[in-house]
Amino acid sequence: MKKKLALLLACSMVLGLSACGSSSSTATTAAATTAAAETTAAAAETAAETEAAAETEASGMDALIEAAKAEGELTVYGSCEEEYLAAACQNFEKLYGITVKYQRLSTSEVYTKIKEEAGNPSGDVWFGGTTDPYNEAVADDLLEAYDAINAVNLMGDQYKDPENKWYGIYSGILGFMVNNEELERLGLEAPQSWDDLTKEEYKGLIMLSNPNTAGTAKLVINTMVQMKGHDEAMEYFKALDQNVIQYTKSGSGPSKMVGPGECVIGIGFLHDGIYQILQGYDNIGLIVPSEGTSAEIGATAIFKGCAHPNAAKLWIEYALSPDCVDLAKENGSYQFLVITNATQPEEAEQFGLDLSLTIDYDFEDAKANSAQYVEDFFEALGSSADSADTGRFLTE
């Protein structure tokens, strides 16, 4: 009898536990269903918001395109290489039916020009070239702020001005290009560091660009100040000057002289060296300085007070899209692109270029002090920016 009672009690407990499990399972299922419904509703709401935002953006772009077409013209000052500048302008004209005039000027030339024009610029937009002169223009209130729709495609906030007065489109590494054949003929090793460039054995073998006309040279000056400190940097440039045979007008000028042997060592952007190598000058070597270097951000911007403001805004949207930047590698420009939906040039990586090798460049210091550093540079060399030795400091 006791065995029967124990058996009945055990069965009752099992049945009770089963009932509890069933109740718990039902509750869990109901909670999961509710959570799933809430997730679906949230996803639907997010999708609706995204769709609405996309429609708003599309509507805004349509209105901008029509306003730009109504203006019908655009003038571009380009500080990238002319082949890329021409292709970008021609494609913009083809896409939107807007007549584009363009002129290739080095970045410091553009900055000087719009500063002299004092709010009544002869151009509408600036395209390409390193940002130090752009930042000088920002400091002088010469560029117009614009909240670009396509800025969402930038890889990070470091690739735009905090007030949206310029936007980055590419990045390039500063370094040395050397003529390996000439170095071998002279029995010299290639320089591996910035300090190596001051060695007496390189006297008369080096070219750098002119900071009066080229933003590249301003970047070199700012880089040395940030890496060495102001006073030591100026002493460095005094020593380097002893080895420089010429300061070219354009930042890409030294790269064009290395392959033919007009100079043995050129200081500039390494993507310009890649272009020369792919043109057939396989005697060129590319060197990233061992103690570090800086990377430019090539930019685009609207001139404040420009004659065609809507066409200028449309240019910014265009410049921040694959329609524009993907033309770079097709036209001899192999910089790293800073736009997420663009196609990176394989050539930069094939030649071993790596943005991680660059310093944390202080753009704010450069913005505030570039003009003074250039003056200090010329003073260190024993001349002024206005009266620099025209035999070596080219302006044409």
Side-chain angles (χ1 to χ4, degrees), residues 32 52 59 180 192 222 309 330:
S59 176
N180 289 319
Q192 298 300 316
N222 287 324
E330 299 171 13

Side-chain angles (χ1 to χ4, degrees), residues 228-345:
K228 294 176 174 293
H230 177 275
D231 292 350
E232 187 178 342
M234 295 307 143
E235 288 300 314
Y236 171 79
F237 286 122
K238 284 172 63 175
L240 177 64
D241 182 60
Q242 300 302 307
N243 292 342
V244 175
I245 188 173
Q246 191 173 84
Y247 294 87
T248 63
K249 174 188 174 183
S250 170
S252 62
S255 71
K256 298 170 183 175
M257 304 296 184
V258 175
E262 294 180 53
C263 79
V264 180
I265 303 166
I267 303 171
F269 291 116
L270 297 181
H271 54 257
D272 291 329
I274 291 176
Y275 175 77
Q276 295 299 322
I277 293 169
L278 296 178
Q279 289 294 104
Y281 289 109
D282 57 2
N283 57 347
I284 295 177
L286 307 179
I287 298 171
V288 178
S290 59
E291 68 268 62
T293 190
S294 57
E296 70 165 336
I297 297 176
T300 189
I302 299 171
F303 298 131
K304 192 168 188 177
C306 69
H308 307 103
N310 291 303
K313 291 174 183 176
L314 183 58
W315 175 272
I316 299 297
E317 301 294 355
Y318 165 73
L320 294 174
S321 77
D323 285 338
C324 177
V325 296
D326 280 358
L327 295 171
K329 62 182 179 297
E330 299 171 13
N331 292 277
S333 293
Y334 303 104
Q335 303 96 325
F336 292 99
L337 302 178
V338 300
I339 298 170
T340 56
N341 56 348
T343 303
Q344 293 291 346

Side-chain angles (χ1 to χ4, degrees), residues 15-284:
L15 289 171
L17 289 170
S18 298
C20 288
S22 177
S23 174
S24 174
S25 176
T26 301
T28 301
T29 301
T33 301
T34 301
E38 290 175 351
T39 300
T40 301
E45 184 178 353
T46 301
E49 290 174 353
T50 301
E51 184 177 352
E55 289 177 357
T56 300
E57 288 181 4
S59 176
M61 280 295 294
D62 289 343
L64 178 59
I65 291 170
E66 290 306 310
K69 286 182 175 180
E71 292 174 350
E73 293 182 11
L74 183 73
T75 299
V76 180
Y77 290 145
S79 299
C80 56
E81 289 303 292
E82 186 149 5
E83 187 178 352
Y84 178 27
L85 171 63
C89 290
Q90 290 163 8
N91 194 42
F92 182 83
E93 190 170 278
K94 178 182 176 182
L95 288 172
Y96 301 110
I98 295 169
T99 300
V100 181
K101 301 175 184 176
Y102 63 89
Q103 183 178 3
R104 201 280 171 191
L105 296 168
S106 294
T107 44
S108 289
E109 289 183 294
V110 176
Y111 166 63
T112 300
K113 184 176 181 63
I114 62 172
K115 187 175 182 179
E116 290 173 350
E117 292 171 345
N120 186 31
S122 52
D124 297 303
V125 294
W126 196 351
F127 179 65
T130 190
T131 46
D132 285 339
Y134 280 77
N135 280 326
E136 290 182 272
V138 169
D140 291 338
D141 196 26
L142 298 172
L143 301 182
E144 187 70 50
Y146 171 58
D147 297 332
I149 295 170
N150 284 338
V152 297
N153 297 326
L154 290 171
M155 291 180 174
D157 287 343
Q158 70 270 33
Y159 296 116
K160 70 182 185 70
D161 173 69
E163 298 178 346
N164 295 336
K165 291 188 175 182
W166 58 257
Y167 291 97
I169 50 178
Y170 60 75
S171 185
I173 298 175
L174 197 62
F176 321 142
M177 291 144 281
V178 300
N179 185 313
N180 289 319
E181 292 173 344
E182 283 298 298
L183 286 173
E184 183 178 355
R185 183 181 68 80
L186 294 167
L188 298 175
E189 296 292 326
Q192 298 300 316
S193 70
W194 289 105
D195 286 344
D196 281 352
L197 295 178
T198 64
K199 292 179 178 179
E200 188 175 353
E201 63 200 61
Y202 298 128
K203 187 175 181 63
L205 302 183
I206 298 174
M207 283 190 185
L208 173 62
S209 50
N210 181 354
N212 274 337
T213 55
T216 305
K218 287 182 177 178
L219 181 64
V220 173
I221 293 171
N222 287 324
T223 299
M224 291 299 97
V225 169
Q226 292 182 27
M227 291 179 65
K228 294 176 174 293
H230 177 275
D231 292 350
E232 187 178 342
M234 295 307 143
E235 288 300 314
Y236 171 79
F237 286 122
K238 284 172 63 175
L240 177 64
D241 182 60
Q242 300 302 307
N243 292 342
V244 175
I245 188 173
Q246 191 173 84
Y247 294 87
T248 63
K249 174 188 174 183
S250 170
S252 62
S255 71
K256 298 170 183 175
M257 304 296 184
V258 175
E262 294 180 53
C263 79
V264 180
I265 303 166
I267 303 171
F269 291 116
L270 297 181
H271 54 257
D272 291 329
I274 291 176
Y275 175 77
Q276 295 299 322
I277 293 169
L278 296 178
Q279 289 294 104
Y281 289 109
D282 57 2
N283 57 347
I284 295 177

